[in-house]
Each structure stands twice: as C-alpha cells, then as structure tokens.
Amino acid sequence: MRRIVPNSLRARLLLTVSIATLLVWVAAGVVSYYKALHEADELMDGQLAQSAKLLLAQVLHEVEDLSDTHAITETLDDDSSHPYEQHPEFRVWGATGRLLLRSGNAPDTKWLNRPGHYPPTYADIRHAGQPWRVLTMRSPDGRYQVQVAHPTKDRERVGLEVATQVAIPIVLALPLLALLVYFSVRRGLRPLEKLAADVAARSPDNLEILSVPHAPRETQPLVAALNRLLTRLGATLDNERRFTADAAHELRTPLAAVKIQAQVALASTDPVDHQHALRQVLAGADRATRLVEQLLRLARLDPLASLPDPRRLNLAELAAEQVESLRPIADSRQQRLSSVAQTSPVEVTGDADLLAVALRNLLENALRYTPARGFIELGVGLEDGQPTIWVRDSGPGVDDSDLPRLAERFYRGARLEREAGGVIGGEGSGLGLAIVQRIAELHGARLEIRNLAQGGLESRLCWR
C-alpha cells in the first residue's frame, strides 16, 4: 500500500508538528497520570502515619481507660467527612502482644514481635478477599503497638480521582494546542506565500531581482538562489537578443552583396564583368555559408556543460592533421605553414572533432591576415607541466586595445578589417575566436592572445 504524503508544505508541517506534539502531550499525560497515582499513594501512606500517631497519642493519654479511646475514635466516623478523607481501621496491642483495642472492621493482623523501638513498617495484606494497606507503629517507650489499615480499593479510588483531575486539563487543552499549531505554521509560512505570489504575479519579461527585506533567515538562501537564477537568465536573454541581432546584421551584409552582384551580372553585357560578378556572388554565398555554419556550431556548443564523450588525444597528431589540410591554401598564397612539437607525446582528455575545429579556426585566422611570403607556425608542447598549443604568424597583429575583445562574438578589430587578405573569404565572421574560447572552456583550457614583439600575433590554448 502506497503511503499518502501531503503535497503541501503547510500540510506536511501541520501533520509533522501535530503528530510530534500529540506524542509528547500523550507521553506527558501518561507520566502525569502515573505520577499523580504515585503521589496519591504517598499521600494515603502519610494519612495512615498521621492516624497511627494520633491513635498512639490518644492511647498514651488515656492509658487508664482505653474504652473511652474506642468511643472517641468511633465519633470520628460521621457523614460530614471530606470526600478524600479515609477512615482507617486499627488494632492496638500491649507490650506482651495482648490485643487491647480494635475497630469494628479492622483486618485480622498479627502482633509484630520485634524488640525495642523500630521505624513505622508498611505492608500489603489480603483480608476478606480484598487487598489492604497496613502500617505498624510502636510507641517510643515500647509499651504499645498500633496497626492502622486502609482498603486498597479506597486508596485507588482517591488516586484515580486525583490523576483524572490532572489528566482532564491536558486532554481539554489538545484542541487549543492544535489551533495554536495551525496558526503558528500558517504565520510562519506567510513569507514563502508572499514570495510565491510575487514570483507568480511577474510578467515573463520581468527578471528583476526579488526584494524581500524582512525574509526569515531560512528563506534567505532560497531568495538568493532565485536572484542568482534571475540574474543569469537576464544575462542569457540579453546575450541571445544581442546574438540574434548581430547574426541578422551579419547575414544581411553578404546577402545584400550577393543580390547586388547578381543584379550586376544580369545587367552586364561585358563577359569579363559578367564573370567577375558571378565570382563575387559565389564568394558572398560562401561567406554566408560559413557564417551559418559558425552560428550552428555555437548553438550546439552553448548548451553543453561538459564534453559528452571525452577521450585521450595526442595533440601533436591532431595539429599535424590540421596543418596538412590547410597547406594547399598557404601554398597558393606563398605562405610558409609549419608545425612543431616536442619529442615526448603531449596528451589531453577531450573531443577530437571540437579541438580540430578550434585549431582550424586559429589557423584560418592566421592565414587570412598574414601577407604573402609570411609564415604561420602551429606548435604543441608543455609549459609548467601543462599542455599548450600556440599559433604564431607574421601578420599585422592587432591594436592592444582590441586584444581583450577579440573573443567576443561578431567583434573584429579595426586593423583586422583593414588588413583582411581575402585568402579564406576575405573578412571573417567574427565568430571564430568565440568558438575557440567556448571549446577551450569545455576542455578546461583558456584562450590567450597577444602581439609578438617582432610583429605578428600569437594565439594560445593553455590547459590548467
């Protein structure tokens, strides 16, 4: 059978607190009940002792005529007694064990033959099929011995009445306690209800942080977590809006160029101009295709929190493959493209396809902005014991003010735009280094870019 657990936090708190309170309350009631029984029993024993002392005092005072003592004790049994008052039965013996006096219903008990004076002695006996509580007490001079007794059922009745009077307020207080628990839980959950109402009342585009100035300490981590989430969502949405706007702008440029060149080709009657316009159409289509590919690649990389299937990779082999794949482009522009690697293997755990994309983007950037007869070098090694990949070129470099922003999406430095050589489609999309940086993050590496002292640019992937 499935357990039914309330789906409401308030119901869970009420159920848990109510059950815990009820258990404690019942335990307290049981303990109080038995404690009251015990105290009532002690009270009855005290009454027996008091009756025995009074009887001894009366016997010592009326030693000449014990028949008067009997008459005096009989007068104590009247109808004006208190409901809790007990009427003990008694026996009085002399020093030799001779029974001197007894009440009418006193149980048949024996003279306690002990020499000298001894403390009062309690005992439980049965008389006429009923249990009795008996106290035996001897006078200080040892001449008299007194026994007083109560029927146990009368003692239990008094004890039960006392314990019941103690337990009744506890039982009657339970409904009041339940109400107090309900209103206390409801009041305690009011800040959460207010927070929930605040979040529910917000419009979808309202990502401002929550302001709960008097939130209880227990809800502050929740409020802080929600505010961090809202901040991240706001930043993500801002990035997406900016990315969408930039992508639309970047796509509009090559498409507009393709349209213009197509119109020129249609209007041109000169075969040379016609061919030139068609080549420009193809170049614009290639640029738009690369831009779309880069956008799709970024869209696939952004949601990833980690690599889906990392494996051990040899960076030198991966670098050599990328150099060979781009060598025809370098040769066509008379650029020297080479790779260097240390003799010992340099391995990392990662995704071979993603790292190949990163290396190709770095190499394409270097090829695009390096002039003819310039050099591009792809190197692999260890620095401070950590794998490192670098790409160096003899191009124009970039303005120092542009270095921190080169990995931003769609950002191109002013000098790079001027120096684009057209080897790989002319001006870049502004997404290549952003893709490299995202791939580096997924591999636990960082992208570093700096100008070389002798001229040119160096891009590095440094594992940490």
Side-chain angles (χ1 to χ4, degrees), residues 60-78:
L60 292 174
H61 180 69
E62 303 291 343
V63 67
E64 299 297 332
D65 189 0
L66 290 177
S67 60
D68 292 341
T69 304
H70 188 195
I72 292 172
T73 57
E74 290 296 330
T75 61
L76 298 176
D77 189 11
D78 54 29

Side-chain angles (χ1 to χ4, degrees), residues 134-202:
V134 179
L135 170 63
T136 302
M137 185 180 293
R138 180 171 289 183
S139 62
D141 56 11
R143 290 189 299 161
Y144 300 100
Q145 184 181 109
V146 173
Q147 284 186 343
V148 291
H150 281 157
T152 302
K153 65 178 182 179
D154 293 342
R155 295 164 57 91
E156 290 177 348
R157 176 182 59 82
V158 173
L160 185 60
E161 290 180 359
V162 172
T164 302
Q165 295 301 318
V166 171
I168 285 177
I170 295 177
V171 174
L172 294 179
L174 277 176
L176 178 61
L177 181 63
L179 287 175
L180 290 176
V181 168
Y182 173 77
F183 285 109
S184 298
V185 170
R186 183 175 180 180
R187 180 179 179 84
L189 292 178
R190 193 170 298 166
L192 280 179
E193 294 174 351
K194 183 179 178 181
L195 179 62
D198 185 11
V199 174
R202 289 186 168 217

Side-chain angles (χ1 to χ4, degrees), residues 271-429:
V272 176
D273 292 340
H274 183 77
Q275 291 296 322
H276 176 74
L278 290 178
R279 284 194 295 271
Q280 292 299 316
V281 168
L282 291 176
D286 289 341
R287 183 168 182 267
T289 300
R290 281 197 310 277
L291 180 58
V292 171
E293 289 175 350
Q294 300 282 51
L295 288 172
L296 291 176
R297 187 171 288 121
L298 269 178
R300 288 192 294 267
L301 290 175
D302 277 341
L304 295 180
S306 60
L307 295 173
D309 186 23
R311 299 181 181 182
R312 294 298 293 177
L313 305 173
N314 188 312
L315 290 181
E317 294 178 358
L318 194 64
E321 291 175 2
Q322 296 307 310
V323 167
E324 292 305 317
S325 68
L326 292 175
R327 189 176 299 281
I329 297 176
D331 292 342
S332 67
R333 191 151 182 218
Q334 301 177 0
Q335 293 171 322
R336 298 192 307 275
L337 177 60
S338 63
S339 63
V340 295
Q342 65 180 41
T343 55
S344 59
V346 179
E347 294 185 341
V348 298
T349 300
D351 187 292
D353 292 336
L354 291 181
L355 285 177
V357 170
L359 294 181
R360 188 174 184 87
N361 281 356
L362 293 177
L363 287 172
E364 286 181 348
N365 274 347
L367 290 169
R368 179 177 294 113
Y369 298 108
T370 299
R373 293 179 295 279
F375 75 89
I376 299 98
E377 178 187 85
L378 174 58
V380 176
L382 293 175
E383 290 189 2
D384 298 327
Q386 299 298 324
T388 302
I389 300 176
W390 65 86
V391 175
R392 297 179 183 135
D393 62 55
S394 58
V398 299
D399 294 334
D400 291 338
S401 60
D402 289 330
L403 285 174
R405 301 188 59 190
L406 287 181
E408 294 182 10
R409 298 178 181 186
F410 299 111
Y411 182 81
R412 292 181 292 271
R415 186 190 300 181
L416 293 181
E417 291 187 0
R418 293 193 305 266
E419 299 291 338
V423 175
I424 311 179
E427 181 183 345
S429 66

Side-chain angles (χ1 to χ4, degrees), residues 100-295:
L100 302 179
L101 189 66
R102 63 169 291 174
S103 61
N105 296 322
D108 294 329
T109 55
K110 295 181 179 180
W111 175 60
L112 189 59
N113 187 12
R114 290 183 182 178
H117 179 68
Y118 54 82
T121 302
Y122 291 92
D124 295 309
I125 66 170
R126 295 190 68 83
H127 172 65
Q130 300 293 329
W132 287 68
R133 180 74 166 170
V134 179
L135 170 63
T136 302
M137 185 180 293
R138 180 171 289 183
S139 62
D141 56 11
R143 290 189 299 161
Y144 300 100
Q145 184 181 109
V146 173
Q147 284 186 343
V148 291
H150 281 157
T152 302
K153 65 178 182 179
D154 293 342
R155 295 164 57 91
E156 290 177 348
R157 176 182 59 82
V158 173
L160 185 60
E161 290 180 359
V162 172
T164 302
Q165 295 301 318
V166 171
I168 285 177
I170 295 177
V171 174
L172 294 179
L174 277 176
L176 178 61
L177 181 63
L179 287 175
L180 290 176
V181 168
Y182 173 77
F183 285 109
S184 298
V185 170
R186 183 175 180 180
R187 180 179 179 84
L189 292 178
R190 193 170 298 166
L192 280 179
E193 294 174 351
K194 183 179 178 181
L195 179 62
D198 185 11
V199 174
R202 289 186 168 217
S203 60
D205 57 346
N206 183 3
L207 296 177
E208 295 182 2
I209 64 172
L210 298 170
S211 178
V212 189
H214 302 294
R217 184 184 308 167
E218 291 78 9
T219 63
Q220 289 176 2
L222 174 61
V223 174
L226 286 174
N227 284 336
R228 289 194 296 270
L229 176 61
L230 290 173
T231 301
R232 291 197 299 270
L233 285 175
T236 300
L237 288 177
D238 289 341
N239 289 337
E240 291 297 328
R241 293 189 188 102
R242 186 168 56 252
F243 179 78
T244 303
D246 291 342
H249 173 74
E250 293 294 328
L251 282 171
R252 187 183 301 117
T253 300
L255 292 177
V258 167
K259 181 179 179 180
I260 292 173
Q261 294 300 328
Q263 291 172 344
V264 170
L266 288 174
S268 176
T269 58
D270 186 355
V272 176
D273 292 340
H274 183 77
Q275 291 296 322
H276 176 74
L278 290 178
R279 284 194 295 271
Q280 292 299 316
V281 168
L282 291 176
D286 289 341
R287 183 168 182 267
T289 300
R290 281 197 310 277
L291 180 58
V292 171
E293 289 175 350
Q294 300 282 51
L295 288 172

